[in-house]
Amino acid sequence: MVRMFARHKVADYDAWRKVYDAFDRESLGVRAHAVYRDLTDSNDVTVWHDFDDQQAAESFAGSETLKAVMAEAGVVSAPNIW
C-alpha cells in the first residue's frame, strides 16, 4: 500500500468539499482517503489517499480527470504532494 498526502489552498472549503465528496476517486485507484483542515485557515486543506502501489498513486496524481475536478472545486494553489 502507498499513502499519498496533498496539501493545497481552496477558495471556499464548503464548495470544495461538495465537489470532493462527489468525485469518484475509486475509479482512479483510491482505496481509502481522509480530509484535514488547518486550525487557523479553514481553506488550507490536506488530504491523503491510499493506493495499491506507487504506480497507481502516480497515475492518479497525473490524471487529467483529477486536474479538472480540482479546478472545478476551486483549488487555488498548486498541491504540495508527498
Side-chain angles (χ1 to χ4, degrees):
M1 180 188 75
V2 170
R3 178 165 286 170
M4 179 177 66
F5 290 84
R7 181 178 181 188
H8 51 70
K9 294 273 193 165
V10 299
D12 177 302
Y13 175 80
D14 292 329
W16 173 87
R17 187 64 194 238
K18 286 179 185 176
V19 175
Y20 180 84
D21 288 344
F23 176 39
D24 178 18
R25 291 169 296 283
E26 291 77 14
S27 68
L28 295 176
V30 175
R31 301 296 175 231
H33 61 94
V35 174
Y36 302 92
R37 294 165 66 178
D38 186 280
L39 289 174
T40 59
D41 180 356
S42 62
N43 291 323
D44 185 341
V45 178
T46 299
V47 297
W48 61 255
H49 296 101
D50 285 346
F51 301 89
D52 290 337
D53 54 39
Q54 184 174 343
Q55 181 179 355
E58 290 173 351
S59 178
F60 176 80
S63 135
E64 292 301 318
T65 300
L66 176 61
K67 291 174 188 174
V69 169
M70 289 175 67
E72 175 188 350
V75 174
V76 296
S77 69
N80 180 12
I81 299 173
W82 71 98

